[in-house]
Amino acid sequence: MSSVFGVPLPAILGQLTLGLVNGSFYALLSLGLAVIFGLLGIVNFAHGAFYMLGAFAAYIGLQTFGVNYWWALLLAPLVVGLLGVLIERLFLRHLYRLDPLYGLLLTFGVALIFEGIMRDQFGASGKSYPVPPLLRGVFDLGFMVLPIYRAWVVVASLAVCAMTWFLIERTRLGARLRAATENARLVQAFGINVPLMVMGTYGGGVALAALAGVLAAPVVQVSPLMGSSLVIVVFAVVVIGGMGSIVGAIVSGLVLGLIEGLTKVVYPEASNIVVFVIMALVLMWRPAGLFGREQ
Amino acid sequence: MKIGSLRAALAALCSVLSWQACAAGDPVVIGDIDDLSGVYADAQGQGGIEAINMAIADFGGMVLGRKIVLLTADHQNKPDIGATKFREWADQSGLNLALGGSNTGVNIAMSKVAAAKKVPLIVIGAGGSSLTGADCTPYSIHYVYDTTSLANGTASTIIKAGGKSWFFLTADYAFGTQLQDSATRVVTANGGKVLGSVRVPLGATDFSSFLLQAQSSGAQVLGLANAGTDFSNSLKGADEFGITKTMKPAALLAFISDIHSLTLQTAQGLYLTTSFYWDLNDETRAFGKRFFAKMKREPTMDHAGAYSATLQYLKAVKAAGSTDSDKVMAELKKAKLNDLFVKNGYVRADGLMVHTMYVMQVKTPAESKYPWDYYKVIRVMTGEEAYGSQPDPACSFAKQ
């Protein structure tokens, strides 16, 4: 059997496929973070908590209201996004003129509060969310079996990433958003409601996190701490891609998923630090990240 | 008159100063140091505090005419926090007994404090058998379960059912590696083989890569040497990737709270080892009912163990007529322990509490007739079968 560095080829292909699945999650989560940071300058530490709330919204929807998976994909981001809007209105709004550190501290506090509430309500070991009937079963790829659901995750998140990129980089609304980040007062002078756009952007970024949460609900235990372990990795992904760069977030999310997948075969113990090692190296070589612009 | 006012002044001073200053009015202080907010919070956590309070209430709230006080702290799964809190209470709050919650790493750190401060530590929720082996102290007792008994239960049952070749998915810290070592000993001693293992960082977000490695090893049994959400997520992944069709998963440590959150649909057929199940007999059911009324869930073995450990400690204090650590430890090591959790248990010279363990199989959804009806008893192991009757040779002071 052919092998690379003593690891059989089918194993490598399998790990690369799984890396792609995990990379899609990273891409989707880091995309929301990048949008929020790029356009608002907020370091949104509550991103992991919104991801967790998205998963719980799907779980509660199913258990209490009989809302199925497909509706949850639509409704959970909407509900959690509205929560984000509320937080922006009530709290974040007052911090825009201050050092970004204040936003970081506020969102970190918000994350702790949400995690505490959910732990109190649902316990630390979390809840199980079933895979939707339509996506049960596996594809046999020859070198591995891939659950249909995981393939769906890749397709869905890449589609959402592409749509978000298109919305921000190629539409009139996106152009206004980008202009508002460059010079808010000037854009406002043209009669554009900048505060409303900012609020919508935060809500949109939060909704992306919640969507990732719904996508993750059937594959991981829906638990209050599911976001806090992920958010640090996702931050590293954003930093590697270049803070605020949309393309950077998507590309580095996918690539780091793949690299992490390979690490899990070669030296599993290092799989949770490899992303940070890469982050350190990238920052030494390009302080603004791979796709970031030097200020 | 003068004496009266002196006494009043002393009493006032006593209430202002720390506890130690006034021996007669000292409360008996029990400290619970546990993961109250992290991945293991459901195994013991708040429920453990409730169980300890139940034991204190059942004992009458007083011992030797002194009030019993419970202190609690969240160690956040950090050994330094657990050890510091223990030391602080021992120095400043007159701590008489520490109860160690989940996490072997934290409990190893706390056992060093127990030895230094000569304050008894009863370990409830942690599993590493080194706590009464290489890390033993004259002041530690390991109470509910350990990695040796889990392996003796689950691993030997699965091997006898034909699962000869194993692959381990191991949590990469003291507990996981000790559990894997214990299970490996049982597997090889029974003519089985370990084909490989992979060490997974604690709290990993995705287990599918590791599961794929397990599958390609061709082993018959997937040994899960992890706990909490790590365990739930690896079992969920195994189910999703169809690995459970070719490999038999072995839960080396699973609590009823894990099974509840996984649901029977995913967990059915699983073998596991436990020292307590709420539905064993009338006594356990009565405790389950009381616990459920407060916590809205059935107790885990850690909850029942925390109740029992508190009760047995208080009994020992009463029998010794003192809270002196050496006298109470001597009392605990010579007593036969009996309550709803333990029958004729005893503390071995190295500090291990030898008691009955049960090998359970998780019921199918069809077999489960009422809420929390999750286990059927496969095998009842005597304390000696589960833990061995001889002290661990690695424990220095227990050597004969």
Side-chain angles (χ1 to χ4, degrees):
Chain A
M1 199 192 286
S2 54
S3 67
V4 183
F5 297 125
V7 181
L9 199 58
I12 291 192
L13 284 174
Q15 297 300 341
L16 285 177
T17 313
L18 291 174
L20 189 67
V21 177
N22 290 333
S24 318
F25 276 116
Y26 291 160
L28 196 55
L29 278 165
S30 51
L31 177 68
L33 266 186
V35 167
I36 291 173
F37 182 80
L39 301 177
L40 274 63
I42 293 278
V43 181
N44 187 31
F45 236 88
H47 216 67
F50 289 124
Y51 161 79
M52 175 271 290
L53 287 177
F56 266 108
Y59 172 80
I60 297 165
L62 185 70
Q63 294 299 320
T64 316
F65 305 106
V67 177
N68 71 22
Y69 174 78
W70 304 102
W71 279 105
L73 274 181
L74 187 73
L75 292 176
L78 204 68
V79 173
V80 180
L82 282 174
L83 181 70
V85 164
L86 199 70
I87 288 168
E88 198 276 340
R89 268 267 121 134
L90 292 175
F91 307 111
L92 275 177
R93 170 146 303 188
H94 307 289
L95 304 177
Y96 290 141
R97 272 179 243 137
L98 301 173
D99 191 284
L101 199 59
Y102 288 91
L104 186 153
L105 287 175
L106 178 91
T107 50
F108 187 53
V110 165
L112 290 179
I113 291 170
F114 284 138
E115 280 172 11
I117 293 173
M118 297 319 261
R119 190 173 52 234
D120 185 54
Q121 292 296 310
F122 295 96
S125 43
K127 299 289 175 190
S128 269
Y129 189 89
V131 175
L134 199 62
L135 299 174
R136 278 180 203 159
V138 291
F139 292 124
D140 196 342
L141 302 179
F143 54 88
M144 70 175 290
V145 291
L146 181 68
I148 293 172
Y149 187 82
R150 303 249 174 173
W152 152 251
V153 165
V154 177
V155 174
S157 49
L158 288 184
V160 172
C161 287
M163 282 193 291
T164 312
W165 174 83
F166 186 80
L167 183 76
I168 291 174
E169 302 286 342
R170 290 287 181 271
T171 65
R172 181 172 285 265
L173 177 70
R176 286 177 179 175
L177 268 173
R178 282 178 288 131
T181 55
E182 292 290 329
N183 192 333
R185 292 182 76 179
L186 190 66
V187 174
Q188 195 139 21
F190 285 121
I192 292 167
N193 189 343
V194 172
L196 186 71
M197 263 190 347
V198 165
M199 190 178 82
T201 307
Y202 189 75
V206 167
L208 282 175
L211 180 69
V214 182
L215 284 173
V219 295
V220 297
Q221 193 77 350
V222 178
S223 81
L225 299 173
M226 65 190 281
S228 59
S229 43
L230 204 55
V231 72
I232 309 288
V233 177
V234 172
F235 261 107
V237 169
V238 174
V239 170
I240 293 167
M243 291 293 285
S245 162
I246 309 265
V247 177
I250 299 171
V251 173
S252 57
L254 290 170
V255 171
L256 287 167
L258 293 175
I259 293 176
E260 201 185 62
L262 287 179
T263 316
K264 284 174 180 170
V265 198
V266 182
Y267 188 60
E269 288 90 336
S271 59
N272 64 340
I273 56 154
V274 64
V275 170
F276 302 102
V277 173
I278 294 172
M279 180 179 83
L281 293 174
V282 166
L283 286 180
M284 273 153 58
W285 171 56
R286 280 187 71 112
L290 293 176
F291 294 81
R293 279 177 300 163
E294 303 271 356
Q295 293 283 318
Chain B
M1 177 67 195
K2 257 189 184 166
I3 290 175
S5 60
L6 194 69
R7 203 175 278 162
L10 209 69
L13 202 68
C14 276
S15 62
V16 173
L17 288 177
S18 63
W19 304 117
Q20 288 101 320
C22 348
D26 275 1
V28 174
V29 182
I30 299 174
D32 174 50
I33 304 176
D34 189 13
D35 175 9
L36 299 180
S37 57
V39 286
Y40 301 138
D42 275 2
Q44 193 178 335
Q46 290 296 337
I49 296 173
E50 193 58 55
I52 297 164
N53 274 323
M54 279 163 73
I56 294 173
D58 288 359
F59 202 78
M62 306 270 281
V63 65
L64 309 178
R66 294 157 62 184
K67 197 171 178 313
I68 304 162
V69 174
L70 175 64
L71 307 175
T72 62
D74 185 356
H75 65 46
Q76 301 170 36
N77 292 310
K78 292 175 182 146
D80 56 325
I81 295 186
T84 308
K85 206 73 208 172
F86 190 170
R87 198 179 303 269
E88 180 194 313
W89 285 346
D91 287 341
Q92 296 170 13
S93 309
L95 186 72
N96 296 110
L97 166 72
L99 292 168
S102 304
N103 197 316
T104 298
V106 179
N107 277 278
I108 289 175
M110 293 202 299
S111 62
K112 312 287 181 233
V113 183
K117 296 285 169 193
K118 297 191 178 4
V119 173
L121 165 71
I122 304 188
V123 176
I124 308 293
S129 52
S130 76
L131 285 162
T132 53
D135 298 304
C136 72
T137 86
Y139 298 95
S140 346
I141 292 177
H142 200 177
Y143 204 81
V144 177
Y145 70 96
D146 74 349
T147 51
T148 306
S149 59
L150 295 175
N152 282 341
T154 308
S156 70
T157 304
I158 289 175
I159 288 181
K160 278 173 195 143
K164 293 280 185 198
S165 58
W166 287 60
F167 188 97
F168 287 104
L169 215 79
T170 304
D172 192 13
Y173 76 108
F175 161 74
T177 51
Q178 289 189 25
L179 190 50
Q180 185 190 331
D181 289 347
S182 303
T184 302
R185 270 197 293 278
V186 173
V187 169
T188 45
N190 286 281
K193 262 196 316 204
V194 176
L195 299 185
S197 69
V198 57
R199 285 190 181 184
V200 184
L202 182 63
T205 45
D206 180 63
F207 285 82
S208 46
S209 304
F210 307 116
L211 289 164
L212 216 62
Q213 295 178 39
Q215 192 176 31
S216 58
S217 74
Q220 298 163 307
V221 182
L222 174 68
L224 299 175
N226 51 17
T229 21
D230 281 356
F231 161 72
S232 305
N233 278 331
S234 25
L235 192 64
K236 252 190 116 167
D239 190 43
E240 193 198 352
F241 279 79
I243 290 169
T244 43
K245 290 195 188 86
T246 53
M247 292 177 92
K248 202 173 183 55
L252 290 169
L253 173 59
F255 294 96
I256 198 163
S257 49
D258 298 321
I259 304 302
H260 181 69
S261 74
L262 272 168
T263 70
L264 292 185
Q265 190 58 43
T266 313
Q268 58 181 305
L270 205 62
Y271 289 106
L272 56 89
T273 301
T274 180
S275 55
F276 178 85
Y277 176 47
W278 70 273
D279 205 6
L280 281 173
N281 55 50
D282 287 343
E283 232 180 337
T284 57
R285 278 187 285 273
F287 179 73
K289 203 171 168 184
R290 280 177 68 194
F291 187 87
F292 196 94
K294 296 210 162 113
M295 300 302 296
K296 300 286 165 265
R297 52 202 170 100
E298 290 295 344
T300 64
M301 61 172 158
D302 285 354
H303 295 139
Y307 173 88
S308 168
T310 310
L311 205 62
Q312 295 302 338
Y313 169 80
L314 293 173
K315 281 184 186 170
V317 168
K318 195 176 172 187
S322 157
T323 49
D324 177 84
S325 296
D326 292 307
K327 286 181 187 158
V328 177
M329 284 304 291
E331 195 61 48
L332 277 167
K333 283 191 176 173
K334 81 173 189 226
K336 279 274 177 215
L337 309 183
N338 276 297
D339 56 35
L340 61 93
F341 172 78
V342 49
K343 292 281 171 271
N344 288 320
Y346 60 91
V347 180
R348 232 165 43 186
D350 55 6
L352 189 114
M353 203 274 274
V354 180
H355 58 284
T356 309
M357 297 289 284
Y358 304 87
V359 180
M360 301 288 195
Q361 188 174 24
V362 178
K363 289 184 172 177
T364 64
E367 287 170 322
S368 174
K369 300 290 179 228
Y370 38 87
W372 295 85
D373 177 20
Y374 289 164
Y375 296 165
K376 48 191 176 197
V377 180
I378 297 296
R379 183 178 161 210
V380 181
M381 287 191 293
T382 64
E384 289 74 17
E385 282 172 328
Y387 295 94
S389 51
Q390 295 305 313
D392 190 329
C395 175
S396 50
F397 71 84
K399 274 181 195 148
Q400 262 92 29

